[in-house]
PDB file of all heavy atoms in Angstrom:
ATOM      1  N   TYR A 236      54.226  89.239   0.532  1.00 93.00           N
ATOM      2  CA  TYR A 236      54.493  88.119  -0.375  1.00 93.00           C
ATOM      3  C   TYR A 236      55.368  87.047   0.277  1.00 93.00           C
ATOM      4  O   TYR A 236      55.093  85.850   0.153  1.00 93.00           O
ATOM      5  CB  TYR A 236      55.162  88.624  -1.662  1.00 93.00           C
ATOM      6  CG  TYR A 236      55.386  87.541  -2.689  1.00 93.00           C
ATOM      7  CD1 TYR A 236      54.326  87.050  -3.451  1.00 93.00           C
ATOM      8  CD2 TYR A 236      56.653  86.995  -2.880  1.00 93.00           C
ATOM      9  CE1 TYR A 236      54.522  86.048  -4.389  1.00 93.00           C
ATOM     10  CE2 TYR A 236      56.860  85.983  -3.818  1.00 93.00           C
ATOM     11  CZ  TYR A 236      55.796  85.529  -4.566  1.00 93.00           C
ATOM     12  OH  TYR A 236      55.988  84.533  -5.497  1.00 93.00           O
ATOM     13  N   GLU A 237      56.406  87.448   0.971  1.00 94.00           N
ATOM     14  CA  GLU A 237      57.324  86.481   1.579  1.00 94.00           C
ATOM     15  C   GLU A 237      56.662  85.690   2.704  1.00 94.00           C
ATOM     16  O   GLU A 237      57.114  84.597   3.050  1.00 94.00           O
ATOM     17  CB  GLU A 237      58.579  87.193   2.104  1.00 94.00           C
ATOM     18  CG  GLU A 237      59.454  87.793   1.018  1.00 94.00           C
ATOM     19  CD  GLU A 237      59.928  86.753   0.021  1.00 94.00           C
ATOM     20  OE1 GLU A 237      60.234  85.615   0.458  1.00 94.00           O
ATOM     21  OE2 GLU A 237      59.979  87.060  -1.186  1.00 94.00           O
ATOM     22  N   GLU A 238      55.608  86.245   3.290  1.00 95.00           N
ATOM     23  CA  GLU A 238      54.896  85.565   4.379  1.00 95.00           C
ATOM     24  C   GLU A 238      53.611  84.901   3.892  1.00 95.00           C
ATOM     25  O   GLU A 238      52.893  84.292   4.686  1.00 95.00           O
ATOM     26  CB  GLU A 238      54.539  86.568   5.479  1.00 95.00           C
ATOM     27  CG  GLU A 238      55.712  87.398   5.990  1.00 95.00           C
ATOM     28  CD  GLU A 238      55.229  88.636   6.730  1.00 95.00           C
ATOM     29  OE1 GLU A 238      54.581  88.475   7.781  1.00 95.00           O
ATOM     30  OE2 GLU A 238      55.487  89.759   6.244  1.00 95.00           O
ATOM     31  N   CYS A 239      53.299  85.019   2.611  1.00 95.00           N
ATOM     32  CA  CYS A 239      52.005  84.580   2.060  1.00 95.00           C
ATOM     33  C   CYS A 239      51.775  83.085   2.268  1.00 95.00           C
ATOM     34  O   CYS A 239      52.611  82.251   1.901  1.00 95.00           O
ATOM     35  CB  CYS A 239      51.939  84.913   0.575  1.00 95.00           C
ATOM     36  SG  CYS A 239      50.403  84.367  -0.210  1.00 95.00           S
ATOM     37  N   HIS A 240      50.623  82.746   2.837  1.00 95.00           N
ATOM     38  CA  HIS A 240      50.296  81.350   3.100  1.00 95.00           C
ATOM     39  C   HIS A 240      50.023  80.583   1.812  1.00 95.00           C
ATOM     40  O   HIS A 240      50.348  79.394   1.718  1.00 95.00           O
ATOM     41  CB  HIS A 240      49.092  81.264   4.041  1.00 95.00           C
ATOM     42  CG  HIS A 240      49.351  81.843   5.398  1.00 95.00           C
ATOM     43  ND1 HIS A 240      50.346  81.385   6.226  1.00 95.00           N
ATOM     44  CD2 HIS A 240      48.739  82.868   6.071  1.00 95.00           C
ATOM     45  CE1 HIS A 240      50.350  82.077   7.358  1.00 95.00           C
ATOM     46  NE2 HIS A 240      49.383  82.983   7.283  1.00 95.00           N
ATOM     47  N   VAL A 241      49.406  81.221   0.827  1.00 92.00           N
ATOM     48  CA  VAL A 241      49.143  80.549  -0.451  1.00 92.00           C
ATOM     49  C   VAL A 241      50.458  80.237  -1.157  1.00 92.00           C
ATOM     50  O   VAL A 241      50.663  79.131  -1.666  1.00 92.00           O
ATOM     51  CB  VAL A 241      48.239  81.418  -1.358  1.00 92.00           C
ATOM     52  CG1 VAL A 241      48.110  80.803  -2.745  1.00 92.00           C
ATOM     53  CG2 VAL A 241      46.861  81.584  -0.730  1.00 92.00           C
ATOM     54  N   VAL A 242      51.358  81.212  -1.185  1.00 92.00           N
ATOM     55  CA  VAL A 242      52.671  80.998  -1.810  1.00 92.00           C
ATOM     56  C   VAL A 242      53.406  79.858  -1.110  1.00 92.00           C
ATOM     57  O   VAL A 242      54.000  78.978  -1.761  1.00 92.00           O
ATOM     58  CB  VAL A 242      53.513  82.293  -1.766  1.00 92.00           C
ATOM     59  CG1 VAL A 242      54.950  82.016  -2.207  1.00 92.00           C
ATOM     60  CG2 VAL A 242      52.884  83.354  -2.648  1.00 92.00           C
ATOM     61  N   ALA A 243      53.369  79.849   0.220  1.00 93.00           N
ATOM     62  CA  ALA A 243      54.057  78.801   0.985  1.00 93.00           C
ATOM     63  C   ALA A 243      53.462  77.426   0.690  1.00 93.00           C
ATOM     64  O   ALA A 243      54.200  76.443   0.499  1.00 93.00           O
ATOM     65  CB  ALA A 243      53.971  79.105   2.479  1.00 93.00           C
ATOM     66  N   ALA A 244      52.122  77.347   0.644  1.00 92.00           N
ATOM     67  CA  ALA A 244      51.459  76.066   0.378  1.00 92.00           C
ATOM     68  C   ALA A 244      51.811  75.548  -1.010  1.00 92.00           C
ATOM     69  O   ALA A 244      52.069  74.354  -1.205  1.00 92.00           O
ATOM     70  CB  ALA A 244      49.949  76.219   0.521  1.00 92.00           C
ATOM     71  N   ARG A 245      51.866  76.449  -1.966  1.00 89.00           N
ATOM     72  CA  ARG A 245      52.149  76.020  -3.339  1.00 89.00           C
ATOM     73  C   ARG A 245      53.630  75.719  -3.545  1.00 89.00           C
ATOM     74  O   ARG A 245      53.987  74.845  -4.328  1.00 89.00           O
ATOM     75  CB  ARG A 245      51.633  77.078  -4.306  1.00 89.00           C
ATOM     76  CG  ARG A 245      50.110  77.107  -4.244  1.00 89.00           C
ATOM     77  CD  ARG A 245      49.459  78.064  -5.177  1.00 89.00           C
ATOM     78  NE  ARG A 245      48.011  77.838  -5.119  1.00 89.00           N
ATOM     79  CZ  ARG A 245      47.127  78.525  -5.793  1.00 89.00           C
ATOM     80  NH1 ARG A 245      47.512  79.506  -6.587  1.00 89.00           N
ATOM     81  NH2 ARG A 245      45.843  78.254  -5.698  1.00 89.00           N
ATOM     82  N   ARG A 246      54.468  76.407  -2.789  1.00 90.00           N
ATOM     83  CA  ARG A 246      55.897  76.099  -2.854  1.00 90.00           C
ATOM     84  C   ARG A 246      56.137  74.687  -2.294  1.00 90.00           C
ATOM     85  O   ARG A 246      56.888  73.896  -2.865  1.00 90.00           O
ATOM     86  CB  ARG A 246      56.690  77.134  -2.059  1.00 90.00           C
ATOM     87  CG  ARG A 246      58.203  77.008  -2.216  1.00 90.00           C
ATOM     88  CD  ARG A 246      58.906  78.086  -1.411  1.00 90.00           C
ATOM     89  NE  ARG A 246      58.626  79.421  -1.946  1.00 90.00           N
ATOM     90  CZ  ARG A 246      58.234  80.457  -1.227  1.00 90.00           C
ATOM     91  NH1 ARG A 246      58.016  80.300   0.073  1.00 90.00           N
ATOM     92  NH2 ARG A 246      58.036  81.634  -1.790  1.00 90.00           N
ATOM     93  N   THR A 247      55.466  74.376  -1.194  1.00 92.00           N
ATOM     94  CA  THR A 247      55.577  73.037  -0.608  1.00 92.00           C
ATOM     95  C   THR A 247      55.075  71.978  -1.589  1.00 92.00           C
ATOM     96  O   THR A 247      55.679  70.914  -1.745  1.00 92.00           O
ATOM     97  CB  THR A 247      54.770  72.949   0.703  1.00 92.00           C
ATOM     98  OG1 THR A 247      55.274  73.909   1.629  1.00 92.00           O
ATOM     99  CG2 THR A 247      54.847  71.559   1.310  1.00 92.00           C
ATOM    100  N   ALA A 248      53.963  72.290  -2.268  1.00 90.00           N
ATOM    101  CA  ALA A 248      53.397  71.349  -3.235  1.00 90.00           C
ATOM    102  C   ALA A 248      54.340  71.120  -4.410  1.00 90.00           C
ATOM    103  O   ALA A 248      54.476  70.004  -4.914  1.00 90.00           O
ATOM    104  CB  ALA A 248      52.049  71.861  -3.724  1.00 90.00           C
ATOM    105  N   GLN A 249      55.011  72.181  -4.838  1.00 88.00           N
ATOM    106  CA  GLN A 249      55.934  72.058  -5.971  1.00 88.00           C
ATOM    107  C   GLN A 249      57.138  71.195  -5.634  1.00 88.00           C
ATOM    108  O   GLN A 249      57.739  70.580  -6.518  1.00 88.00           O
ATOM    109  CB  GLN A 249      56.381  73.447  -6.424  1.00 88.00           C
ATOM    110  CG  GLN A 249      55.296  74.220  -7.158  1.00 88.00           C
ATOM    111  CD  GLN A 249      55.634  75.689  -7.336  1.00 88.00           C
ATOM    112  OE1 GLN A 249      56.669  76.147  -6.858  1.00 88.00           O
ATOM    113  NE2 GLN A 249      54.770  76.416  -8.015  1.00 88.00           N
ATOM    114  N   GLU A 250      57.472  71.136  -4.363  1.00 91.00           N
ATOM    115  CA  GLU A 250      58.631  70.354  -3.942  1.00 91.00           C
ATOM    116  C   GLU A 250      58.248  68.929  -3.545  1.00 91.00           C
ATOM    117  O   GLU A 250      59.126  68.103  -3.269  1.00 91.00           O
ATOM    118  CB  GLU A 250      59.310  71.044  -2.753  1.00 91.00           C
ATOM    119  CG  GLU A 250      59.904  72.403  -3.101  1.00 91.00           C
ATOM    120  CD  GLU A 250      60.374  73.167  -1.872  1.00 91.00           C
ATOM    121  OE1 GLU A 250      60.117  72.665  -0.752  1.00 91.00           O
ATOM    122  OE2 GLU A 250      60.984  74.235  -2.029  1.00 91.00           O
ATOM    123  N   ALA A 251      56.935  68.626  -3.541  1.00 93.00           N
ATOM    124  CA  ALA A 251      56.469  67.315  -3.086  1.00 93.00           C
ATOM    125  C   ALA A 251      56.455  66.293  -4.217  1.00 93.00           C
ATOM    126  O   ALA A 251      56.392  66.633  -5.399  1.00 93.00           O
ATOM    127  CB  ALA A 251      55.077  67.444  -2.484  1.00 93.00           C
ATOM    128  N   ASP A 252      56.513  65.022  -3.826  1.00 94.00           N
ATOM    129  CA  ASP A 252      56.399  63.923  -4.786  1.00 94.00           C
ATOM    130  C   ASP A 252      54.937  63.562  -5.018  1.00 94.00           C
ATOM    131  O   ASP A 252      54.569  63.095  -6.099  1.00 94.00           O
ATOM    132  CB  ASP A 252      57.133  62.683  -4.254  1.00 94.00           C
ATOM    133  CG  ASP A 252      58.595  62.962  -3.963  1.00 94.00           C
ATOM    134  OD1 ASP A 252      59.324  63.287  -4.904  1.00 94.00           O
ATOM    135  OD2 ASP A 252      58.983  62.862  -2.779  1.00 94.00           O
ATOM    136  N   VAL A 253      54.121  63.745  -3.987  1.00 96.00           N
ATOM    137  CA  VAL A 253      52.694  63.412  -4.062  1.00 96.00           C
ATOM    138  C   VAL A 253      51.899  64.610  -3.555  1.00 96.00           C
ATOM    139  O   VAL A 253      52.102  65.059  -2.427  1.00 96.00           O
ATOM    140  CB  VAL A 253      52.348  62.170  -3.207  1.00 96.00           C
ATOM    141  CG1 VAL A 253      50.879  61.802  -3.377  1.00 96.00           C
ATOM    142  CG2 VAL A 253      53.246  60.990  -3.576  1.00 96.00           C
ATOM    143  N   VAL A 254      50.998  65.120  -4.390  1.00 94.00           N
ATOM    144  CA  VAL A 254      50.175  66.274  -4.020  1.00 94.00           C
ATOM    145  C   VAL A 254      48.713  65.855  -4.057  1.00 94.00           C
ATOM    146  O   VAL A 254      48.243  65.275  -5.045  1.00 94.00           O
ATOM    147  CB  VAL A 254      50.396  67.455  -4.983  1.00 94.00           C
ATOM    148  CG1 VAL A 254      49.577  68.663  -4.531  1.00 94.00           C
ATOM    149  CG2 VAL A 254      51.872  67.817  -5.059  1.00 94.00           C
ATOM    150  N   VAL A 255      47.991  66.141  -2.979  1.00 95.00           N
ATOM    151  CA  VAL A 255      46.561  65.822  -2.897  1.00 95.00           C
ATOM    152  C   VAL A 255      45.764  67.110  -3.015  1.00 95.00           C
ATOM    153  O   VAL A 255      45.973  68.057  -2.250  1.00 95.00           O
ATOM    154  CB  VAL A 255      46.230  65.111  -1.563  1.00 95.00           C
ATOM    155  CG1 VAL A 255      44.743  64.780  -1.500  1.00 95.00           C
ATOM    156  CG2 VAL A 255      47.058  63.834  -1.424  1.00 95.00           C
ATOM    157  N   VAL A 256      44.867  67.154  -3.983  1.00 93.00           N
ATOM    158  CA  VAL A 256      44.012  68.316  -4.206  1.00 93.00           C
ATOM    159  C   VAL A 256      42.565  67.825  -4.295  1.00 93.00           C
ATOM    160  O   VAL A 256      42.291  66.636  -4.152  1.00 93.00           O
ATOM    161  CB  VAL A 256      44.400  69.067  -5.509  1.00 93.00           C
ATOM    162  CG1 VAL A 256      45.826  69.573  -5.437  1.00 93.00           C
ATOM    163  CG2 VAL A 256      44.214  68.174  -6.741  1.00 93.00           C
ATOM    164  N   ASN A 257      41.619  68.745  -4.549  1.00 90.00           N
ATOM    165  CA  ASN A 257      40.259  68.324  -4.865  1.00 90.00           C
ATOM    166  C   ASN A 257      39.919  68.805  -6.269  1.00 90.00           C
ATOM    167  O   ASN A 257      40.608  69.630  -6.858  1.00 90.00           O
ATOM    168  CB  ASN A 257      39.245  68.820  -3.821  1.00 90.00           C
ATOM    169  CG  ASN A 257      39.164  70.332  -3.737  1.00 90.00           C
ATOM    170  OD1 ASN A 257      38.853  71.004  -4.708  1.00 90.00           O
ATOM    171  ND2 ASN A 257      39.461  70.879  -2.562  1.00 90.00           N
ATOM    172  N   HIS A 258      38.832  68.265  -6.821  1.00 92.00           N
ATOM    173  CA  HIS A 258      38.509  68.515  -8.225  1.00 92.00           C
ATOM    174  C   HIS A 258      38.337  70.002  -8.541  1.00 92.00           C
ATOM    175  O   HIS A 258      38.703  70.462  -9.625  1.00 92.00           O
ATOM    176  CB  HIS A 258      37.230  67.777  -8.622  1.00 92.00           C
ATOM    177  CG  HIS A 258      37.361  66.287  -8.605  1.00 92.00           C
ATOM    178  ND1 HIS A 258      38.577  65.650  -8.724  1.00 92.00           N
ATOM    179  CD2 HIS A 258      36.423  65.297  -8.505  1.00 92.00           C
ATOM    180  CE1 HIS A 258      38.379  64.335  -8.685  1.00 92.00           C
ATOM    181  NE2 HIS A 258      37.093  64.101  -8.544  1.00 92.00           N
ATOM    182  N   HIS A 259      37.765  70.755  -7.608  1.00 89.00           N
ATOM    183  CA  HIS A 259      37.534  72.171  -7.884  1.00 89.00           C
ATOM    184  C   HIS A 259      38.854  72.917  -8.060  1.00 89.00           C
ATOM    185  O   HIS A 259      38.988  73.754  -8.959  1.00 89.00           O
ATOM    186  CB  HIS A 259      36.692  72.798  -6.767  1.00 89.00           C
ATOM    187  CG  HIS A 259      35.243  72.427  -6.841  1.00 89.00           C
ATOM    188  ND1 HIS A 259      34.764  71.268  -6.282  1.00 89.00           N
ATOM    189  CD2 HIS A 259      34.177  73.038  -7.428  1.00 89.00           C
ATOM    190  CE1 HIS A 259      33.453  71.189  -6.517  1.00 89.00           C
ATOM    191  NE2 HIS A 259      33.085  72.240  -7.205  1.00 89.00           N
ATOM    192  N   LEU A 260      39.826  72.605  -7.219  1.00 87.00           N
ATOM    193  CA  LEU A 260      41.133  73.236  -7.371  1.00 87.00           C
ATOM    194  C   LEU A 260      41.824  72.755  -8.642  1.00 87.00           C
ATOM    195  O   LEU A 260      42.429  73.542  -9.376  1.00 87.00           O
ATOM    196  CB  LEU A 260      41.999  72.920  -6.144  1.00 87.00           C
ATOM    197  CG  LEU A 260      43.441  73.434  -6.180  1.00 87.00           C
ATOM    198  CD1 LEU A 260      43.471  74.945  -6.377  1.00 87.00           C
ATOM    199  CD2 LEU A 260      44.171  73.053  -4.902  1.00 87.00           C
ATOM    200  N   PHE A 261      41.704  71.473  -8.913  1.00 87.00           N
ATOM    201  CA  PHE A 261      42.329  70.897 -10.105  1.00 87.00           C
ATOM    202  C   PHE A 261      41.814  71.580 -11.369  1.00 87.00           C
ATOM    203  O   PHE A 261      42.591  71.993 -12.237  1.00 87.00           O
ATOM    204  CB  PHE A 261      42.032  69.398 -10.144  1.00 87.00           C
ATOM    205  CG  PHE A 261      42.716  68.668 -11.270  1.00 87.00           C
ATOM    206  CD1 PHE A 261      44.030  68.255 -11.141  1.00 87.00           C
ATOM    207  CD2 PHE A 261      42.049  68.385 -12.449  1.00 87.00           C
ATOM    208  CE1 PHE A 261      44.668  67.578 -12.172  1.00 87.00           C
ATOM    209  CE2 PHE A 261      42.679  67.718 -13.480  1.00 87.00           C
ATOM    210  CZ  PHE A 261      43.995  67.307 -13.343  1.00 87.00           C
ATOM    211  N   PHE A 262      40.502  71.736 -11.466  1.00 85.00           N
ATOM    212  CA  PHE A 262      39.939  72.330 -12.675  1.00 85.00           C
ATOM    213  C   PHE A 262      40.069  73.843 -12.708  1.00 85.00           C
ATOM    214  O   PHE A 262      40.061  74.444 -13.779  1.00 85.00           O
ATOM    215  CB  PHE A 262      38.475  71.905 -12.844  1.00 85.00           C
ATOM    216  CG  PHE A 262      38.343  70.533 -13.432  1.00 85.00           C
ATOM    217  CD1 PHE A 262      37.993  69.456 -12.649  1.00 85.00           C
ATOM    218  CD2 PHE A 262      38.609  70.315 -14.770  1.00 85.00           C
ATOM    219  CE1 PHE A 262      37.903  68.183 -13.179  1.00 85.00           C
ATOM    220  CE2 PHE A 262      38.527  69.049 -15.316  1.00 85.00           C
ATOM    221  CZ  PHE A 262      38.165  67.983 -14.522  1.00 85.00           C
ATOM    222  N   ALA A 263      40.200  74.462 -11.540  1.00 80.00           N
ATOM    223  CA  ALA A 263      40.477  75.899 -11.535  1.00 80.00           C
ATOM    224  C   ALA A 263      41.791  76.161 -12.254  1.00 80.00           C
ATOM    225  O   ALA A 263      41.939  77.139 -12.993  1.00 80.00           O
ATOM    226  CB  ALA A 263      40.539  76.427 -10.107  1.00 80.00           C
ATOM    227  N   ASP A 264      42.740  75.263 -12.066  1.00 70.00           N
ATOM    228  CA  ASP A 264      44.022  75.404 -12.757  1.00 70.00           C
ATOM    229  C   ASP A 264      43.879  75.101 -14.244  1.00 70.00           C
ATOM    230  O   ASP A 264      44.371  75.830 -15.100  1.00 70.00           O
ATOM    231  CB  ASP A 264      45.051  74.468 -12.141  1.00 70.00           C
ATOM    232  CG  ASP A 264      46.371  74.514 -12.896  1.00 70.00           C
ATOM    233  OD1 ASP A 264      47.024  75.569 -12.835  1.00 70.00           O
ATOM    234  OD2 ASP A 264      46.706  73.532 -13.565  1.00 70.00           O
ATOM    235  N   LEU A 265      43.189  74.020 -14.571  1.00 67.00           N
ATOM    236  CA  LEU A 265      43.030  73.646 -15.977  1.00 67.00           C
ATOM    237  C   LEU A 265      42.334  74.737 -16.774  1.00 67.00           C
ATOM    238  O   LEU A 265      42.636  74.976 -17.949  1.00 67.00           O
ATOM    239  CB  LEU A 265      42.223  72.350 -16.090  1.00 67.00           C
ATOM    240  CG  LEU A 265      42.889  71.067 -15.599  1.00 67.00           C
ATOM    241  CD1 LEU A 265      42.053  69.869 -15.994  1.00 67.00           C
ATOM    242  CD2 LEU A 265      44.289  70.916 -16.154  1.00 67.00           C
ATOM    243  N   ALA A 266      41.383  75.403 -16.141  1.00 59.00           N
ATOM    244  CA  ALA A 266      40.633  76.450 -16.833  1.00 59.00           C
ATOM    245  C   ALA A 266      41.370  77.785 -16.814  1.00 59.00           C
ATOM    246  O   ALA A 266      40.831  78.803 -17.242  1.00 59.00           O
ATOM    247  CB  ALA A 266      39.256  76.619 -16.186  1.00 59.00           C
ATOM    248  N   LEU A 267      42.600  77.758 -16.272  1.00 51.00           N
ATOM    249  CA  LEU A 267      43.436  78.966 -16.229  1.00 51.00           C
ATOM    250  C   LEU A 267      42.775  80.088 -15.444  1.00 51.00           C
ATOM    251  O   LEU A 267      42.913  81.262 -15.772  1.00 51.00           O
ATOM    252  CB  LEU A 267      43.764  79.445 -17.655  1.00 51.00           C
ATOM    253  CG  LEU A 267      44.483  78.417 -18.534  1.00 51.00           C
ATOM    254  CD1 LEU A 267      44.717  79.007 -19.916  1.00 51.00           C
ATOM    255  CD2 LEU A 267      45.799  77.987 -17.920  1.00 51.00           C
ATOM    256  N   LYS A 268      42.028  79.695 -14.393  1.00 46.00           N
ATOM    257  CA  LYS A 268      41.369  80.719 -13.587  1.00 46.00           C
ATOM    258  C   LYS A 268      42.155  81.013 -12.319  1.00 46.00           C
ATOM    259  O   LYS A 268      41.718  81.727 -11.458  1.00 46.00           O
ATOM    260  CB  LYS A 268      39.954  80.260 -13.217  1.00 46.00           C
ATOM    261  CG  LYS A 268      39.019  80.301 -14.410  1.00 46.00           C
ATOM    262  CD  LYS A 268      37.585  80.157 -13.979  1.00 46.00           C
ATOM    263  CE  LYS A 268      36.650  80.334 -15.154  1.00 46.00           C
ATOM    264  NZ  LYS A 268      35.251  80.152 -14.776  1.00 46.00           N
TER     265      LYS A 268
END
C-alpha cells in the first residue's frame, strides 16, 4: 500500500490545483465504480 502507484497518483491529484483526466475515468468515479 505505501508503495502503490495508484495511491501515489491519486494523492498527487488530491494535492493539485489542476487535475487532467479523461471521460472514462471521470465517469467511473461518478458511477461509483
Side-chain angles (χ1 to χ4, degrees):
Y236 184 76
E237 293 302 322
E238 307 162 64
C239 178
H240 296 301
V241 173
V242 171
R245 293 182 173 178
R246 188 179 294 131
T247 300
Q249 287 167 357
E250 295 171 354
D252 303 297
V253 184
V254 183
V255 180
V256 299
N257 62 60
H258 294 337
H259 284 85
L260 176 57
F261 185 83
F262 280 105
D264 176 68
L265 291 189
L267 302 179
K268 288 193 174 178

